[in-house]
Amino acid sequence: MSAGQIAALIAAGAFVVLVLLLAVPLLKLSRTLDEATIAIRKAHEGSAPLLDNAQTTLHQVNTQLERVDGITSSARAVTSNVSVLTSLFTATLGGPLVRAAAFSYGLNKAVKARRAGRDAGAHSMRTRPGRRKGRR
């Protein structure tokens, strides 16, 4: 055997050892990939019912939102009607009621002022403590 053949034989042996050393991690990697594939398959199978349930839930929520939309539109119509009724009441009865309230307030103040005037005369006739009658 020549030196070139011996070198080739050593290189071939080293290559075999290298292949064997790399085969172990490759086998472990293939097992890991198989397990990952199985996990992904199970997750996919489990997610299909979840997605179906989510779709059903969203459909029910949309139905409820349509009902709420109907309720809010009815409430909007009621508030509009109440607003119109309030403005009508204010326009027809508000002015006379305000005038009547103002009149009763004024009458009340006048009565109190008249009573205060009568009472003021009576107060001036009374003597204050520490003063004699007839002296001011």
Side-chain angles (χ1 to χ4, degrees):
M1 274 187 145
S2 71
Q5 290 175 342
I6 292 176
L9 193 60
I10 291 174
F15 185 72
V16 168
V17 170
L18 179 67
V19 168
L20 289 176
L21 289 176
L22 289 176
V24 173
L26 286 174
L27 289 174
K28 288 183 180 181
L29 181 63
S30 70
R31 283 188 216 139
T32 304
L33 289 176
D34 289 341
E35 290 295 323
T37 303
I38 291 170
I40 289 171
R41 186 176 296 130
K42 286 182 181 178
H44 178 68
E45 290 170 357
S47 67
L50 288 174
L51 292 176
D52 291 340
N53 289 340
Q55 187 176 7
T56 304
T57 302
L58 284 175
H59 180 67
Q60 291 173 351
V61 166
N62 284 336
T63 303
Q64 294 299 323
L65 285 175
E66 288 173 4
R67 289 181 185 165
V68 169
D69 188 38
I71 291 169
T72 54
S73 65
S74 297
R76 189 179 307 119
V78 167
T79 55
S80 174
N81 291 340
V82 167
S83 175
V84 169
L85 185 63
T86 303
S87 65
L88 177 67
F89 176 78
T90 303
T92 57
L93 298 177
L97 284 177
V98 168
R99 287 185 192 123
F103 177 74
S104 67
Y105 178 74
L107 186 63
N108 188 13
K109 288 293 261 186
V111 168
K112 284 183 181 179
R114 186 169 193 146
R115 285 183 189 161
R118 264 193 233 145
D119 291 341
H123 286 307
S124 65
M125 297 300 235
R126 292 186 195 162
T127 60
R128 293 186 187 150
R131 293 194 161 192
R132 291 186 202 163
K133 220 175 189 181
R135 237 181 171 190
R136 290 195 175 195

